[in-house]
């Protein structure tokens, strides 16, 4: 597993976490290059389908992050999102997706350090979990499945 | 005299076929579900059930099948790759006559116009060892559509249970003889009593067809299909329903064209890109299913697109029984309806 | 006349009278099925149709599903033969502005929950045609029974497995799915004119019945019903391949009840749990 480099997809809101990631960069903080950021207007925009799609396209883990409660640029997008994540994360856990594969966080525009630390932590955790082979196997070409069934 | 396969030798048959390189599938229990799936021993077979929930169709027309692959390289050049797989040689052991009979009927449409090599390559790879039905239930109606519980149609080998619980064996055609040669433990025995279900004739097919010819616009359809929820349950469990959709799925740079089961009962089936739907109401979609099976297909290709297995009758979540509907048609109930009957405004 | 016969007479009388008086133009109930052990939905538009109504333990379909059908919407007022699960679905439809409560009447049937098909079930029919508002107080006491441990026995069994075994369990179950969408189409709360599964620009859920397409569909179906599912079990009974869909739905019901203190199907004026929030909602899982 030593040569396994996790592929992490992060959905982040443009107002807080994306700005926080920017701050981490401009402050020259170092964090693993395993994360790909996808910027959305608000965490309220992050549909559960985004998370599934990321896994379908080969993500080993997904990070979802936005403004702290009370800081939402649109007042309550993150509070609505919080309820959806509560339910969706339980659903993913129920069907056997390790909770380490989906991380939720609040990171403000001032928290460049928190962003860098979280990416470091998540990368290490996913490195330990290994590649998300079970999802990838499930996503294998239909041709390999169709004859069997 | 007839050839007899003692029941105890079924195990030997499974082993012999497997060592001959066949994947052997048969009716198996999966919790409450009985479905066709791979077996490794005759003990896996659920031979006491009247019929499996889904049909053998999936072995010749998989619910999803890759028909082409395409790649797009860094320069943007698109190449189309052939996806024809070599299907695994398969024996379906414990197939029912109503399942076996479906394949020759569907051959007609897959050979009509152009030859569907996906269908026929799988068809070539599949051998059917059918067990005649010793029992039936109130949803079985093979005898009403020209079949029989011990019909050899479509099968390669037909097994008929004897009163003693063994099987009388009949090879059909060259393929059947070839397959039967692999069966161990056959012996000659005097003809014994055969256990074959008495499936009553439930309706007069020609009367139903005549009624369909006259009742395209009948309020019968509205009245009948109001309860239909438009799912694909009946068509997907049907051994003869063969409609499919072609979709391109997968990542943009290396993707697949797949052929997936589709169902005339779903409203998207006929939905045009313009938004127009030539079958806008469920009654139109339900009528299509009955018309296609009992009028259009026979008038174009000469065979009724139904083998009377009754799966759609059993599986329908709203008890919209095709058997009842066709019986009603045959009994002239559609003809008798005044045009205002069952009026439900739209 | 045995008690059940009297109830049946009363049911038919209520339906007949509702049509005769013009209070409603359609009564949706059940008739004898075509085979023993099944019941068939019946649409009564003429008073005489009411004589075919029945009720028994096989009447498990959720008739509220038909309220959003265009053919049914065309009626000014519709009456439903409604056991509790049907009424709960009407609550959900009213809550989500899909059905105008002034255009629905209930012929309320009081009976135990019909979790599976059962031949004998004791039932009584309420006096008179009821509006939803008139019906609700008569069922309010059932709220407390929604969260009994027996209802969650199958969920608890799955929860007791390891994460790895849970994945295997659902991978095996989802693999059976043939994407006939019977689960969606019999669900009274799955009323979307265009389902996410039917959208292809962009295509979020593979239409193919591959393991991946089946997984996405079954997860998303359960998630879209979270906090909305009224626990009638119609989806699971409709499934031709016997997928344990209620394991997912009841898990969602449990999470919503534990986290947000909400049970669907009782209050048509309540905010749906996933379209509202509280400032102090639990968030221990958020870093």
């Amino acid at each position: 597993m030593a040569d396994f480099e996790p592929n992490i997809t992060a959905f982040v809101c443009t107002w807080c976490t994306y700005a926080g990631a920017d701050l981490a960069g401009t402050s020259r903080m170092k964090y693993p290059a395993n994360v790909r950021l996808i910027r959305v207007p608000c965490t309220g925009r992050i549909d559960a389908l985004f998370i599934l799609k990321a896994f379908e396209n080969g993500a080993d883990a997904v990070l979802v992050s936005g403004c702290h409660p009370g800081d939402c640029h649109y007042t309550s997008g993150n509070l609505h999102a919080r309820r959806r994540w509560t339910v969706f994360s339980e659903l993913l856990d129920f069907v056997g997706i390790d909770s380490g594969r989906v991380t939720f966080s609040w990171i403000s525009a001032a928290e460049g350090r928190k962003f860098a630390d979280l990416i470091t932590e998540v990368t290490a955790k996913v490195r330990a979990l290994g590649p998300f082979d079970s999802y990838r196997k499930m996503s294998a070409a239909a041709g390999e499945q169709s004859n069997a069934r | 005299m007839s050839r007899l396969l003692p029941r105890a030798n079924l195990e030997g048959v499974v082993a012999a076929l497997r060592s001959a390189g066949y994947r052997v599938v048969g009716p198996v229990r999966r919790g409450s579900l009985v479905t066709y799936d791979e077996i490794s021993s005759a003990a896996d077979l659920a031979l006491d059930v009247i019929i499996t929930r889904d049909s053998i169709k999936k072995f010749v027309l998989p619910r999803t099948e890759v028909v082409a692959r395409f790649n797009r390289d860094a320069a943007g050049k698109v190449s189309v790759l052939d996806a024809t797989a070599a299907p695994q040689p398969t024996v379906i052991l414990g197939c029912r006559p109503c399942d076996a009979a479906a394949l020759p009927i569907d051959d007609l449409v897959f050979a009509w116009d152009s030859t569907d090599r996906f269908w026929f390559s799988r068809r070539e790879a599949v051998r059917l060892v059918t067990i005649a039905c010793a029992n039936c239930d109130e949803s079985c109606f093979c005898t009403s559509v020209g079949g029989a519980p011990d019909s050899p149609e479509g099968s390669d080998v037909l097994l008929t249970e004897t009163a003693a619980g063994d099987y009388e064996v009949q090879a059909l055609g060259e393929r059947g003889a070839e397959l039967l040669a692999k069966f161990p433990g056959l012996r000659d025995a005097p003809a014994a009593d055969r256990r074959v279900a008495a499936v009553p004739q439930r309706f007069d097919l020609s009367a139903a067809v005549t009624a369909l010819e006259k009742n395209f616009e009948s309020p019968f359809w509205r009245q009948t299909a109001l309860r239909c929820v438009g799912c694909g349950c009946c068509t997907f469990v049907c051994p003869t329903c063969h409609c499919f959709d072609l979709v391109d799925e997968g990542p943009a740079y290396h993707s697949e064209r797949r052929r997936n089961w589709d169902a005339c009962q779903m409203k998207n089936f006929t939905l045009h890109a313009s938004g127009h739907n030539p079958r806008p109401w469920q009654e139109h979609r339900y009528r299509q299913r009955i018309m296609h099976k009992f009028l259009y297909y026979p008038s174009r290709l000469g065979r009724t697109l139904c083998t009377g297995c009754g799966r759609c009758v059993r599986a329908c979540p709203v008890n919209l029984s095709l058997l009842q509907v066709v019986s009603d048609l045959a009994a002239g109930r559609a003809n008798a309806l005044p045009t205002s009957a069952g009026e439900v405004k739209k | 006349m045995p008690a059940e016969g009297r109830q049946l007479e009363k049911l038919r009388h209520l339906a007949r009278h509702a049509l005769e008086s013009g209070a409603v133009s359609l009564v949706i109930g059940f008739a004898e099925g075509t085979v023993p052990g099944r019941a068939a939905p019946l649409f009564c538009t003429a008073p005489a149709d009411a004589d075919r109504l029945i009720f028994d333990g096989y009447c498990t379909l959720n008739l509220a599903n038909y309220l959003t059908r265009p053919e049914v919407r065309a009626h000014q007022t519709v009456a439903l033969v409604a056991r509790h699960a049907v009424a709960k679905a009407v609550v959900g439809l009213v809550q989500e502005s899909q059905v105008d409560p002034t255009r629905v009447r209930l012929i309320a049937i009081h009976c135990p929950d019909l979790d599976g098909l059962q031949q004998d079930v004791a039932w009584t029919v309420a006096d008179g045609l009821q509006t939803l508002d008139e019906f609700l107080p008569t069922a309010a006491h059932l709220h407390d029974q929604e969260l009994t441990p027996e209802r969650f026995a199958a969920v608890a069994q799955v929860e007791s497995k390891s994460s790895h075994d849970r994945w295997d369990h659902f991978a095996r179950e989802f693999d059976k799915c043939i994407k006939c969408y019977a689960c969606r189409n019999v669900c009274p709360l799955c009323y979307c004119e265009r389902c996410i599964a039917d959208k292809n620009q962009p295509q979020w859920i593979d239409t193919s019945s591959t393991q991946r397409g089946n997984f996405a569909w079954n997860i998303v179906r359960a998630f879209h019903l979270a906090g909305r599912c009224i626990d009638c079990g119609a989806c699971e009974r409709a499934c031709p391949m016997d997928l344990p869909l209620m394991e997912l739905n009841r898990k969602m019901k449990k999470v919503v009840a534990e986290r947000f203190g909400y049970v669907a199907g009782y209050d048509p004026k309540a905010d749906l749990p996933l379209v509202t929030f509280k400032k102090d909602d639990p968030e221990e899982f958020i870093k």
Side-chain angles (χ1 to χ4, degrees):
Chain A
M1 211 72 85
D3 53 353
F4 164 58
E5 284 301 334
N7 184 352
I8 301 166
T9 304
F11 296 100
V12 298
C13 94
T14 188
W15 300 101
C16 291
T17 305
Y18 193 81
D22 248 0
L23 180 61
T26 51
S27 313
R28 299 184 168 239
M29 293 171 193
K30 279 200 165 33
Y31 60 86
N34 297 67
V35 66
R36 300 284 177 280
L37 298 193
I38 296 176
R39 180 164 65 153
V40 295
C42 176
T43 43
R45 174 66 186 94
I46 301 168
D47 196 304
L49 291 161
F50 292 11
I51 298 175
L52 289 183
K53 211 62 179 174
F55 286 137
E56 289 186 354
N57 286 308
D60 297 301
V62 174
L63 171 68
V64 177
S65 183
C67 308
H68 287 269
D71 289 356
C72 180
H73 187 79
Y74 309 100
T75 314
S76 62
N78 55 353
L79 299 174
H80 281 102
R82 182 168 66 184
R83 283 215 160 186
R84 291 207 296 271
W85 300 345
T86 304
V87 172
F88 195 61
S89 61
E90 293 248 22
L91 177 58
L92 292 183
D93 178 64
F94 187 65
V95 297
I97 293 183
D98 193 293
S99 56
R101 302 232 179 242
V102 193
T103 306
F104 301 93
S105 71
W106 306 132
I107 295 175
S108 79
E111 292 175 322
R113 172 48 60 195
K114 184 176 178 185
F115 181 81
D117 288 349
L118 184 71
I119 299 301
T120 309
E121 181 197 325
V122 169
T123 306
K125 193 162 62 179
V126 179
R127 203 185 290 279
L129 281 172
F132 202 175
D133 281 338
S134 43
Y135 213 110
R136 228 162 276 165
K137 209 170 95 197
M138 187 171 75
S139 297
E144 287 159 35
Q145 292 172 21
S146 57
N147 201 29
R149 297 179 299 161
Chain B
M1 293 296 274
S2 63
R3 298 285 280 166
L4 204 71
L5 171 71
R7 180 177 278 257
N9 279 13
L10 216 47
E11 189 62 63
V13 172
V14 174
L17 292 171
R18 281 168 63 85
S19 62
Y22 287 105
R23 167 180 63 155
V24 181
V25 302
V28 293
R29 282 208 162 71
R30 295 274 179 269
S32 53
L33 180 73
V34 180
T35 181
Y36 289 106
D37 208 343
E38 183 159 7
I39 57 162
S40 53
S41 153
D44 299 338
L45 290 169
L47 295 177
D48 55 329
V49 295
I50 288 168
I51 200 160
T52 52
R53 196 76 59 81
D54 57 343
S55 79
I56 63 165
K57 171 169 75 180
K58 59 188 176 184
F59 298 109
V60 271
L61 184 69
R63 58 202 195 200
T64 182
E65 176 173 38
V66 179
V67 295
R69 293 198 166 83
F70 38 95
N71 274 332
R72 185 164 177 262
D73 63 19
K77 188 176 169 294
V78 177
S79 45
V80 178
L81 315 171
D82 183 59
T84 321
Q88 205 178 348
T90 299
V91 172
I92 303 175
L93 178 60
C95 172
R96 288 296 185 203
C98 49
D99 263 342
L103 299 187
I105 296 174
D106 276 2
D107 284 345
L108 299 170
V109 72
F110 283 108
W112 168 76
D113 196 6
S114 67
T115 301
D116 188 301
R117 63 194 163 93
F118 296 96
W119 168 272
F120 284 104
S121 72
R122 288 183 193 279
R123 190 80 169 79
E124 273 306 306
V126 169
R127 299 284 178 277
L128 304 182
V129 179
T130 302
I131 300 182
C133 300
N135 297 297
C136 65
D137 68 10
E138 53 285 269
S139 301
C140 290
F141 60 99
C142 55
T143 49
S144 308
V145 287
D150 57 350
S151 161
E153 204 201 340
S155 300
D156 296 302
V157 172
L158 180 66
L159 308 182
T160 311
E161 213 178 315
T162 64
D166 298 323
Y167 295 106
E168 196 182 293
V169 177
Q170 189 187 349
L172 300 140
E174 255 173 59
R175 280 171 35 147
E178 222 171 90
L179 192 67
L180 196 61
K182 298 186 172 70
F183 280 34
L186 295 182
R187 58 182 164 82
D188 288 322
D193 279 346
R194 304 155 85 234
R195 291 188 57 215
V196 177
V199 182
Q201 168 121 10
R202 317 257 186 203
F203 55 81
D204 175 357
L205 182 61
S206 63
V209 172
T210 310
L212 285 174
E213 283 165 347
K214 284 194 290 198
N215 285 295
F216 188 80
E217 299 283 6
S218 170
F220 176 78
W221 300 112
R222 190 180 311 141
Q223 217 179 45
T224 305
L226 195 53
R227 75 174 100 140
C228 177
V229 293
C231 69
C233 200
C234 50
T235 61
F236 287 3
V237 298
C238 174
T240 60
C241 275
H242 51 260
C243 285
F244 55 81
D245 188 23
L246 287 167
V247 296
D248 294 342
E249 281 181 343
Y253 289 90
H254 46 96
S255 195
E256 293 179 338
R257 174 157 297 177
R258 297 172 184 163
R259 141 155 120 177
N260 294 336
W261 288 354
D262 203 355
C264 55
Q265 301 307 287
M266 295 177 176
K267 69 175 182 224
N268 286 1
F269 186 77
T270 47
L271 184 64
H272 294 183
S274 65
H276 172 67
N277 195 337
R279 290 183 206 139
W281 298 92
Q282 199 55 36
E283 66 201 56
H284 304 138
R285 305 190 268 270
Y286 190 73
R287 176 180 65 193
Q288 168 63 23
R289 181 162 198 265
I290 304 297
M291 288 278 182
H292 188 211
K293 287 193 170 303
F294 295 95
L295 186 61
Y296 307 152
Y297 199 87
S299 66
R300 278 168 183 70
L301 296 165
R303 297 290 308 271
T304 298
L305 193 63
C306 175
T307 62
C309 70
R311 283 195 180 88
C312 59
V313 180
R314 296 179 198 95
C316 179
V318 297
N319 189 228
L320 178 47
S321 160
L322 176 137
L323 173 55
Q324 184 66 49
V325 169
V326 179
S327 301
D328 282 352
L329 285 161
R333 272 171 220 135
N335 314 351
L337 280 180
T339 45
S340 64
E343 189 72 47
V344 175
K345 288 173 294 214
K346 288 176 194 165
Chain C
M1 189 184 285
E4 202 170 280
R6 275 200 301 277
Q7 292 302 323
L8 186 61
E9 263 319 297
K10 191 168 155 191
L11 167 65
R12 289 176 176 171
H13 171 77
L14 281 175
R16 198 183 307 117
H17 185 70
L19 289 163
E20 270 166 359
S21 67
V24 302
S25 52
L26 174 68
V27 176
I28 310 178
F30 288 97
E32 290 286 353
T34 57
V35 288
R38 296 295 302 271
L42 177 69
F43 295 77
C44 308
T45 48
D49 296 339
D51 293 336
R52 291 175 56 206
L53 286 170
I54 61 145
F55 191 82
D56 62 25
Y58 301 127
C59 299
T60 55
L61 195 72
N62 198 323
L63 296 176
N65 188 32
Y66 290 112
L67 288 180
T68 48
R69 277 282 284 269
E71 296 95 325
V72 173
R73 279 194 193 284
H75 286 267
Q76 180 57 37
T77 312
V78 176
L80 287 181
V81 175
R83 64 194 173 90
H84 186 218
V86 178
K88 283 197 288 183
V90 176
V91 169
L93 290 168
V94 169
Q95 196 176 4
E96 297 177 21
S97 307
Q98 296 304 309
V99 163
D100 177 352
T102 65
R103 292 173 60 180
V104 180
R105 297 291 178 276
L106 303 177
I107 298 176
I109 304 277
H110 296 285
C111 68
D113 258 0
L114 302 179
D115 245 6
L117 297 174
Q118 47 199 303
Q119 194 167 9
D120 294 314
V121 60
W123 60 280
T124 58
V125 56
D127 296 328
L129 225 52
Q130 292 175 317
T131 62
L132 191 59
D133 280 342
E134 286 163 348
F135 169 81
L136 287 173
T138 69
H141 64 286
L142 295 168
H143 187 279
D144 294 342
Q145 295 166 28
E146 291 280 349
L147 300 170
T148 53
E150 306 86 77
R151 213 184 266 263
F152 298 96
V155 172
Q157 212 194 339
V158 176
E159 285 171 339
S160 70
K161 296 177 200 271
S162 71
S163 178
H164 184 265
D165 289 351
R166 292 201 296 274
W167 175 272
D168 282 351
H169 167 71
F170 284 109
R172 210 166 36 242
E173 293 296 339
F174 292 159
D175 193 36
K176 297 192 296 191
C177 174
I178 53 176
K179 288 217 173 179
C180 68
Y181 298 118
C183 49
R184 172 187 74 187
N185 290 21
V186 298
C187 176
L189 276 312
C190 266
Y191 52 71
C192 288
E193 266 294 297
R194 205 165 165 220
C195 174
I196 185 76
D198 293 334
K199 291 183 184 167
N200 57 5
Q201 281 185 339
Q203 184 160 332
W204 286 106
I205 298 174
D206 286 2
T207 56
S208 303
S209 178
T210 56
Q211 289 173 18
R212 159 175 144 164
N214 287 355
F215 183 87
W217 161 246
N218 283 285
I219 294 297
V220 170
R221 189 198 68 82
F223 183 59
H224 282 184
L225 284 164
R228 305 172 56 238
C229 168
I230 48 84
D231 196 359
C232 70
C235 52
E236 188 171 282
R237 285 189 296 272
C239 179
M241 303 308 284
D242 292 0
L243 266 69
L245 299 173
M246 290 310 285
E247 285 177 7
L248 295 165
N249 288 347
R250 287 199 169 132
K251 173 67 184 181
M252 294 289 85
K253 175 178 178 173
K254 189 177 153 199
V255 170
V256 167
E258 282 172 356
R259 295 303 196 107
F260 313 129
Y262 178 83
V263 173
Y266 286 85
D267 181 2
K269 295 192 176 69
D271 287 329
L272 288 166
L274 290 201
V275 297
T276 184
F277 63 88
K278 284 193 182 124
K279 282 191 174 156
D280 57 352
D281 275 334
E283 59 163 42
E284 81 295 338
F285 65 100
I286 302 177
K287 296 196 183 219

